[in-house]
Amino acid sequence: MAGDEEQQLVHQNKQIVLKEYVKAAPTESHFAVTTTPVNLKAPEGSNVVVFKNLYLSCDPYLRGRMSAVHREGADKTDPEFTPYRVGSPISGLGVSKVVDSAHPDYKKGDLVWGGVTWEEYSVVENPKGIFKIPDPDVPLSYYTGILGMPGVTAYFGFYDVCAPKKGEYVFVSSASGAVGQLVGQFAKLAGCYVVGAAGSKEKVELLKSKFGFDEAFNYKEEDDLDAALKRYFPEGIDIYFENVGGKMLDAVLLNMRLRGRIAASGMISQYNLEQQEGVHNLMNIVYKRVRIEGFVVLDFFPRYAEFFGKVLPWIKEGKIAYVEDIAKGLENAPAALLGLFSGRNVGAHKEDRAAAWCRGRTHTTTVCFAFTLPPSYPENSGIEESTGQVRTTTFDRRAKTGARGKEIVMASDKELVQQNKQIVLKEYVAAGFPKESHFGVTTAAINLKVPDGSNAVAFKNLFLSCDPYMRSRLSPPVHRDGADETDPEFSPFRIGAPISGLGVSKVVDSGHPDYKKGDLVWGGTAWEEYSIIENPKGLFKIPDPSVPLSYYTGILGMPGMTAYFGFYDICAPKKGEYVFVSAASGAVGQLVGQFAKLAGCYVVGSAGTNEKVELLKNKFGFDEAFNYKDVDDLDAALKRCFPEGIDIYFENVGGKTLDAVLLNMRVHGRISACGMISQYNLEQPEGVHNLMTIVYKRVLIEGFVVTDYFPRYAEFLGKMLPWIKEGKIVYVEDFAEGLENGPAALLGLFSGRNVGKQVVAVARQ
């Protein structure tokens, strides 16, 4: 009799197995339907639970698991990214019912959702990652969608990662899918304006009429995605919920607003490509201070109760709608899954719960991103004699002579006339490398006596700073797309006028109450020997002239602040982390590496000559460094230097370096996007292909512009000055003597000719 009962508990179990790995787009021939016996009786004394699977969820991430090897950069310990085994049932998420249990936490009849294999029955030893269904009054299929993984993805991706504010502009790609339709509705609940993109007219209408999107468009009918986004978002995009990648992401980057946020949930358009499409517009991350953050929903599962407590009432109150597309029968599951990648699925209709269901793209498918420094202090300049050679400044305080330019001759108290040498822009540089012929040296008369009763200040410029960002200002007025045209750091120079940047200057006359003759300042100034500024703003008085005045163009000026806040604020380093710095011997990079060592990190830098590599290791204390020009394979070089991966990347270069770094980031790594100098002279920036790693590795990329941190200068100075005086931080500068040599010095940045911070010494007194 017992034997008969055991036989009755043996069932023929239908399964969906993977026949072979997929190299491009999957087809139904990659799968097989097989049958094998299964015993539905859980062995006594075990922790086994036997489940009957009711609904299976079709999700885009399953495509990555059909490949023979992990997608480069994926976490090999993460079950969401481990490859399936050929000949075995594939797996995903689903809704199941307990038919027998020897586990104390589960009893017969319990309804659950979580990880499950694609088969009619599953026997699981000591199940983990399973959630009991607390409310069976809503359709059980909802636990594969709105109340399951897609719902959790949409909820935390939008509210936690994007942190929306009322009135913001939100764009959702793949907006009719299982996740997208919810993000749009959450955005409306948050008081946002929301636009979605989908792949058919039917889906577009669904977005507007069913889900309450303010507007929607069929991306397949748009020849120019950038133009389409500009139509729908004339003020730009605050939040982008990324589901697609590729060309869509490239267009979105051109339309992001200042301090926009991108939640990188997935990039479905790239899943079937042997090499992902290159994304070219990443400099907008810097220009616009954009934050891109990848995430994986499993990280939020411990907060399921929080999610459930919000979303279930919204469902019952009719504040959230949901559409599902149910394919009936396990044997139809492969076709339903593959439909996600062509956009075939269209949302939801009511079906009996019977087999499997796949959450889809359109719904749910279920089977069943300028200024100058002040003049130097003659008697305290502390600058060594230099002919443009690299040297480290020292505090020898030797008196300096030979100031550039004529001495001022005072005709009377009313008149101070001086011939003023200037560097002007002769023509714009549309593309390619700027040349010295793009600049001219001119001379104009200047009266250094400011008018009585004015707020003008007359400055003598001592040191000028050469900085990479100045390249974009050499471009025509239609400058790099996405740059903030109101930002002086990105606004184009004017033809025939002096170029400008940052520098150190000395007040020679003042009608302004905040400045007196002899004051030393640093901040924005024109490339000329003398400058008259009406009611100057954004200038910092130099509080400590005991250090070399040139330092206020570098370590104590903009580059120092860039390194300090870009590293400490954005990267948030922890002791023991692995840090990589590109352009590491430059004005910013040399400091980032030293900050990393002060924070107890392991740091590697790349530079363009063997001389610079030795400087990084022997002068700045980097643990390791390499010459990127001697490396054929940047990915392999990084793997040698970082066998455990990279926690923090300070981005100064972009292009191929960024692409290789992405493959080597660790989970929850941070990238501080300071600049991308390798791209500045290109007509079209190089495409970066490995952005899916942002998702796999939960990587944060954040662009920043140092001017945003100028209000915190006192905080920065309070840290840096003691470190310099205690010898904890060292600095290398590269001097060009004379204003007329300024253009050549500036252009040298783009060929790597400089070693250390490039400074133009206009006058040393």
Side-chain angles (χ1 to χ4, degrees):
M1 193 71 164
D4 290 341
E5 289 179 0
E6 286 186 12
Q7 286 182 354
Q8 290 175 6
L9 289 170
V10 175
H11 281 248
Q12 291 301 304
N13 190 26
K14 193 181 294 183
Q15 301 174 318
I16 303 297
V17 302
L18 185 67
K19 290 169 61 179
E20 60 179 316
Y21 286 120
V22 181
K23 294 181 179 179
T27 64
E28 290 189 52
S29 63
H30 288 100
F31 304 91
V33 181
T34 64
T35 302
T36 185
V38 62
N39 192 330
L40 301 183
K41 178 67 178 174
E44 293 183 8
S46 71
N47 278 322
V48 168
V49 182
V50 182
F51 297 103
K52 181 179 182 180
N53 299 319
L54 306 179
Y55 297 97
L56 300 176
S57 178
C58 296
D59 298 299
Y61 80 86
L62 298 178
R63 171 60 187 86
R65 302 190 64 190
M66 300 174 196
S67 299
V69 294
H70 283 80
R71 286 189 180 268
E72 189 81 64
D75 182 1
K76 297 181 180 180
T77 66
D78 194 326
E80 190 164 342
F81 303 123
T82 53
Y84 295 128
R85 287 190 298 127
V86 170
S88 296
I90 67 173
S91 59
L93 294 163
V95 173
S96 309
K97 184 176 183 178
V98 176
V99 297
D100 196 30
S101 174
H103 193 289
D105 293 342
Y106 301 92
K107 66 179 186 298
K108 185 175 180 179
D110 280 349
L111 292 167
V112 300
W113 76 269
V116 70
T117 49
W118 279 36
E119 55 191 356
E120 291 177 308
Y121 297 93
S122 296
V123 179
V124 183
E125 175 77 26
N126 196 25
K128 297 178 181 179
I130 301 292
F131 297 85
K132 287 187 179 180
I133 290 178
D135 192 328
D137 292 339
V138 295
L140 288 178
S141 57
Y142 275 20
Y143 289 90
T144 69
I146 187 172
L147 291 174
M149 184 272 285
V152 179
T153 300
Y155 183 88
F156 289 108
F158 183 66
Y159 287 109
D160 270 37
V161 177
C162 296
K165 304 176 187 71
K166 185 177 180 179
E168 289 192 313
Y169 301 99
V170 178
F171 177 54
V172 187
S173 57
S174 191
S176 64
V179 173
Q181 61 176 288
L182 293 174
V183 173
Q185 294 178 84
F186 293 154
K188 292 308 297 178
L189 287 173
C192 299
Y193 174 86
V194 60
V195 177
S200 73
K201 292 180 179 178
E202 177 188 9
K203 295 175 181 180
V204 165
E205 286 307 309
L206 193 67
L207 292 176
K208 295 190 288 185
S209 62
K210 180 75 173 177
F211 302 132
F213 282 59
D214 293 286
E215 196 52 84
F217 65 91
N218 182 350
Y219 70 89
K220 293 180 180 178
E221 295 179 348
E222 298 291 345
D223 295 326
D224 186 336
L225 287 170
D226 175 34
L229 291 172
K230 283 181 167 58
R231 285 201 310 272
Y232 293 106
F233 295 101
E235 303 297 321
I237 300 168
D238 293 294
I239 291 172
Y240 172 46
F241 201 96
E242 166 68 302
N243 292 308
V244 169
K247 295 180 178 66
M248 184 67 79
L249 176 58
D250 231 1
V252 167
L253 287 169
L254 295 177
N255 289 277
M256 292 301 293
R257 300 183 79 191
L258 207 62
R259 297 181 184 85
R261 289 87 72 202
I262 298 176
S265 171
M267 299 184 183
I268 194 171
S269 72
Q270 308 300 292
Y271 294 167
N272 294 318
L273 303 181
E274 192 167 346
Q275 183 185 48
Q276 296 169 38
E277 294 173 330
V279 173
H280 302 270
N281 297 316
L282 292 170
M283 257 310 294
N284 288 277
I285 296 172
V286 181
Y287 294 140
K288 293 291 188 178
R289 295 80 149 166
V290 170
R291 177 186 178 101
I292 304 179
E293 186 170 356
F295 70 101
V296 172
V297 67
L298 299 179
D299 297 340
F300 293 99
F301 276 8
R303 295 171 62 185
Y304 183 72
E306 172 190 340
F307 155 80
F308 191 78
K310 281 284 190 180
V311 176
L312 186 64
W314 285 342
I315 295 171
K316 293 187 173 182
E317 295 164 11
K319 292 181 178 179
I320 295 285
Y322 202 59
V323 171
E324 300 172 318
D325 193 342
I326 297 180
K328 200 166 185 179
L330 183 63
E331 64 279 3
N332 294 313
L337 175 60
L338 301 185
L340 296 181
F341 304 106
S342 63
R344 190 171 64 219
N345 60 304
V346 180
H349 310 147
K350 189 175 180 183
E351 290 281 351
D352 292 336
R353 53 186 165 92
W357 70 297
C358 299
R359 241 170 306 64
R361 286 271 90 196
T362 317
H363 321 290
T364 308
T365 296
T366 315
V367 181
C368 193
F369 190 158
F371 33 62
T372 341
L373 286 173
S376 48
Y377 202 45
E379 49 275 21
N380 288 333
S381 72
I383 308 282
E384 291 184 349
E385 294 290 356
S386 171
T387 56
Q389 299 298 311
V390 168
R391 53 61 141 164
T392 304
T393 54
T394 59
F395 306 148
D396 61 0
R397 307 189 183 217
R398 290 175 291 175
K400 302 302 170 185
T401 58
R404 301 284 169 170
K406 299 176 183 177
E407 290 301 315
I408 299 172
V409 178
M410 186 180 295
S412 70
D413 288 341
K414 296 182 179 179
E415 190 177 68
L416 277 167
V417 177
Q418 173 71 31
Q419 290 300 305
N420 189 30
K421 192 182 295 182
Q422 302 173 319
I423 302 298
V424 302
L425 184 65
K426 291 168 60 178
E427 59 179 313
Y428 286 120
V429 187
F433 284 82
K435 304 172 183 177
E436 290 189 54
S437 60
H438 287 105
F439 304 90
V441 181
T442 65
T443 302
I446 185 173
N447 189 338
L448 299 181
K449 177 67 178 176
V450 302
D452 292 338
S454 75
N455 278 322
V457 182
F459 296 99
K460 180 179 183 179
N461 297 319
L462 305 179
F463 297 99
L464 299 176
S465 177
C466 297
D467 297 297
Y469 79 84
M470 298 170 71
R471 171 59 185 88
S472 66
R473 303 191 66 192
L474 300 174
S475 297
V478 182
H479 55 299
R480 294 189 182 267
D481 210 343
D484 181 4
E485 297 186 14
T486 66
D487 193 325
E489 190 161 341
F490 301 122
S491 57
F493 296 128
R494 288 188 301 118
I495 296 293
I499 67 172
S500 59
L502 291 161
V504 173
S505 307
K506 184 178 182 178
V507 176
V508 296
D509 195 28
S510 175
H512 196 287
D514 294 341
Y515 300 92
K516 67 181 187 298
K517 185 176 180 179
D519 280 348
L520 294 166
V521 300
W522 76 268
T525 192
W527 276 40
E528 56 190 356
E529 293 176 305
Y530 299 94
S531 296
I532 306 292
I533 303 177
E534 181 70 30
N535 197 24
K537 296 179 181 179
L539 295 180
F540 298 88
K541 288 188 179 180
I542 290 179
D544 191 331
S546 66
V547 296
L549 288 179
S550 57
Y551 273 20
Y552 291 92
T553 69
I555 187 171
L556 291 175
M558 182 272 285
M561 294 183 72
T562 301
Y564 183 88
F565 291 109
F567 183 65
Y568 287 108
D569 270 34
I570 293 177
C571 298
K574 304 177 189 70
K575 185 177 180 179
E577 288 192 313
Y578 301 100
V579 177
F580 176 55
V581 186
S582 56
S585 66
V588 173
Q590 59 176 288
L591 293 173
V592 174
Q594 293 177 82
F595 294 155
K597 293 309 297 177
L598 287 174
C601 300
Y602 175 87
V603 60
V604 176
S606 64
T609 68
N610 293 335
E611 176 191 8
K612 294 178 182 179
V613 167
E614 289 305 307
L615 193 68
L616 293 177
K617 294 189 289 185
N618 299 327
K619 183 74 175 179
F620 301 131
F622 283 59
D623 294 286
E624 192 52 81
F626 64 89
N627 183 348
Y628 70 89
K629 293 180 181 177
D630 289 343
V631 170
D632 294 325
D633 186 337
L634 283 169
D635 176 33
L638 291 171
K639 283 182 167 57
R640 286 196 304 272
C641 294
F642 296 101
E644 302 297 320
I646 299 168
D647 293 293
I648 291 171
Y649 171 46
F650 201 96
E651 165 66 302
N652 291 309
V653 169
K656 294 181 178 66
T657 298
L658 176 57
D659 231 0
V661 167
L662 287 168
L663 298 178
N664 290 276
M665 293 300 293
R666 301 181 79 190
V667 173
H668 299 299
R670 289 88 72 203
I671 297 178
S672 180
C674 170
M676 300 183 183
I677 194 172
S678 72
Q679 308 300 292
Y680 296 168
N681 296 306
L682 303 180
E683 189 166 354
Q684 182 184 49
E686 295 171 329
V688 174
H689 301 271
N690 298 317
L691 290 170
M692 256 308 294
T693 305
I694 296 171
V695 181
Y696 295 139
K697 293 290 190 178
R698 295 82 150 167
V699 170
L700 169 68
I701 304 180
E702 186 167 354
F704 72 101
V705 173
V706 68
T707 49
D708 295 340
Y709 292 96
F710 278 8
R712 295 171 62 184
Y713 183 65
E715 172 190 340
F716 158 77
L717 200 64
K719 285 283 190 179
M720 282 297 288
L721 268 175
W723 283 342
I724 293 170
K725 293 182 177 183
E726 293 164 12
K728 291 181 178 179
I729 295 285
V730 296
Y731 202 59
V732 168
E733 300 171 296
D734 192 341
F735 282 88
E737 296 289 337
L739 181 63
E740 66 278 4
N741 293 313
L746 175 61
L747 304 187
L749 297 179
F750 306 107
S751 62
R753 192 170 66 218
N754 62 300
V755 180
K757 168 62 186 172
Q758 184 67 67
V759 183
V760 179
V762 181
R764 290 188 177 273
Q765 61 176 328

